[in-house]
Amino acid sequence: MDLELEIMDIITNAGESKSEAMIALQHAKRQQWEECDAALIRSKEAASRAHLVQTKLIGMDEGEGKIPVTLVMVHAQDHLMTSMLANELVKEMIEVYRHKVY
């Protein structure tokens, strides 16, 4: 296994997930609900790919420090965490647009 490639998978998929969530929000602002929902699906799929890699690495580490913690690993975890937060907030904002609660 090439650890750096695995870590880059987390970064790229987390970034794609966040980007698709932001695209969904832009569609929601224009009330383009089909496009919005499609972007949310793509966002969720990318997030799932990133999470699967993270879970794989956690399993390989077995809580024993077998996987070295490098700056790029920390960077990947940061990307994943902020992507997850962005997705949750974007979904809430989309619901506001969808139901015109504002």
Side-chain angles (χ1 to χ4, degrees), residues 6-95:
E6 297 284 341
I7 293 169
M8 291 307 294
D9 274 349
I10 294 172
I11 292 170
T12 56
N13 283 301
E16 180 182 344
S17 176
K18 185 167 69 172
S19 293
E20 289 292 344
M22 294 302 177
I23 289 167
L25 182 56
Q26 295 305 310
H27 285 301
K29 286 180 179 180
R30 294 187 289 274
Q31 298 181 355
Q32 299 168 332
W33 302 118
E34 287 182 26
E35 295 90 342
C36 174
D37 293 339
L40 285 175
I41 289 169
R42 291 190 303 270
S43 176
K44 184 176 181 177
E45 290 169 349
S48 293
R49 289 191 302 270
H51 191 256
L52 283 173
V53 175
Q54 180 195 43
T55 301
K56 177 177 153 183
L57 293 177
I58 290 170
M60 291 171 57
D61 188 68
E62 297 177 334
E64 297 179 9
K66 295 178 182 178
I67 302 290
V69 178
T70 63
L71 185 55
V72 72
M73 173 70 84
V74 172
H75 183 64
Q77 291 300 115
D78 184 44
H79 266 281
L80 183 55
M81 182 179 65
T82 57
S83 174
M84 292 168 69
L85 178 59
N87 270 282
E88 289 180 35
L89 290 172
V90 163
K91 286 177 190 172
E92 291 298 320
M93 293 172 73
I94 287 170
E95 286 306 306

